[in-house]
Amino acid sequence: MTKPPKPSTLKSLDFTTALRVPKAYLGTRAYQDGLGEQLVELMAEFFGIWAKHIAFPELMLPPVVHLKRWLKTVSSSSKSTMSNGIKTAPGKWKGNKNSRLTSSVNLLVQKLESNARWIEEKRRHVEFGPSNREGVEGFLRDISIEDTPLGAFVEGLRRKSEEREKMLERAREAERRDRAKDREEEDGMDIDGVPGDVLEDDINQE
């Protein structure tokens, strides 16, 4: 995921049904895009559960640090620096050139940080300490998750995921119809590609 995607004409992966990814997909844009979508959706769903929690800023910090390091790695270009003892050419791109992947991960980081700042602002007005369990559990109780900065983002991702699933289902249905049609055509053929009903008529005439 740190290298530019390999050119490919493979169709998008359906991660909802795929148990194993064919080797031909590894490193391709279809694989990187699909994996990036899964990463963003699953992380957003997980942190969306805790979007109102008073400890959200501390919870989201470690993964955000790792994501930022990854973004820095895949977005860097060298400036005649030494890398593993080899001097790279000025301005040579070293990272991932998949802008769709990097922009989606960067947007996730922005939403997590935005929600963390929102929680920190709300925490400034509390009058209880961390040991007050009742106060901690009642923090932002009257606010729905959808009204948080991250919650709104998660709702948008869910709608996008539902639309993508509908498109995939239509494609699967069309593929099933094509297979059924092919089987019907094969069943209607007999010897050397001659339709079965024509062959039967010829035999009866003889």
Side-chain angles (χ1 to χ4, degrees):
M1 298 293 283
T2 59
K3 297 180 181 180
K6 296 184 294 186
S8 168
T9 57
L10 296 170
K11 64 180 182 179
S12 300
L13 278 167
D14 183 2
F15 280 86
T16 58
T17 58
L19 298 178
R20 182 179 298 176
V21 177
K23 289 184 178 180
Y25 274 92
L26 298 181
T28 63
R29 182 174 295 276
Y31 178 71
Q32 289 191 359
D33 288 347
L35 200 60
E37 288 177 353
Q38 293 298 303
L39 169 72
V40 171
E41 289 178 7
L42 292 175
M43 288 193 67
E45 285 287 349
F46 171 77
F47 284 106
I49 298 172
W50 303 96
K52 298 194 304 176
H53 199 277
I54 197 169
F56 180 87
E58 290 74 27
L59 177 66
M60 70 90 195
L61 186 59
V64 164
V65 168
H66 284 284
L67 289 176
K68 281 187 170 183
R69 286 176 181 171
W70 180 80
L71 285 169
K72 184 177 180 180
T73 299
V74 301
S75 303
S76 63
S77 60
S78 61
K79 297 181 180 179
S80 298
T81 57
M82 298 297 292
S83 177
N84 296 327
I86 301 175
K87 189 174 182 180
T88 57
K92 184 178 180 181
W93 193 269
K94 298 188 299 180
N96 187 303
K97 297 180 181 179
N98 191 339
S99 59
R100 178 181 177 183
L101 171 64
T102 54
S103 61
S104 62
V105 174
N106 188 53
L107 180 60
L108 172 64
V109 170
Q110 292 177 6
K111 295 300 181 180
L112 291 173
E113 291 182 328
S114 175
N115 201 86
R117 289 192 297 269
W118 182 74
I119 291 292
E120 288 172 348
E121 176 63 28
K122 298 293 184 182
R123 288 197 312 200
R124 292 193 181 99
H125 306 289
V126 301
E127 299 179 351
F128 55 85
S131 60
N132 187 332
R133 184 169 182 176
E134 183 179 353
V136 169
E137 292 179 351
F139 181 71
L140 301 183
R141 179 178 293 169
D142 298 331
I143 297 178
S144 65
I145 290 179
E146 290 75 16
D147 292 332
T148 66
L150 183 59
F153 175 64
V154 172
E155 282 297 308
L157 288 178
R158 287 173 179 168
R159 288 193 295 269
K160 183 179 178 181
S161 178
E162 290 173 359
E163 292 173 0
R164 184 173 64 249
E165 181 58 31
K166 289 179 181 178
M167 291 178 60
L168 289 172
E169 182 56 34
R170 286 195 292 268
R172 287 193 290 264
E173 182 61 30
E175 187 175 351
R176 286 192 290 266
R177 287 197 300 267
D178 291 341
R179 286 201 300 266
K181 184 178 180 181
D182 291 341
R183 285 195 297 269
E184 290 177 358
E185 292 177 351
E186 290 175 358
D187 293 341
M189 306 299 288
D190 204 332
I191 302 174
D192 295 330
V194 178
D197 54 350
V198 174
L199 183 62
E200 185 177 355
D201 291 341
D202 291 343
I203 294 174
N204 291 335
Q205 290 176 4
E206 293 177 358

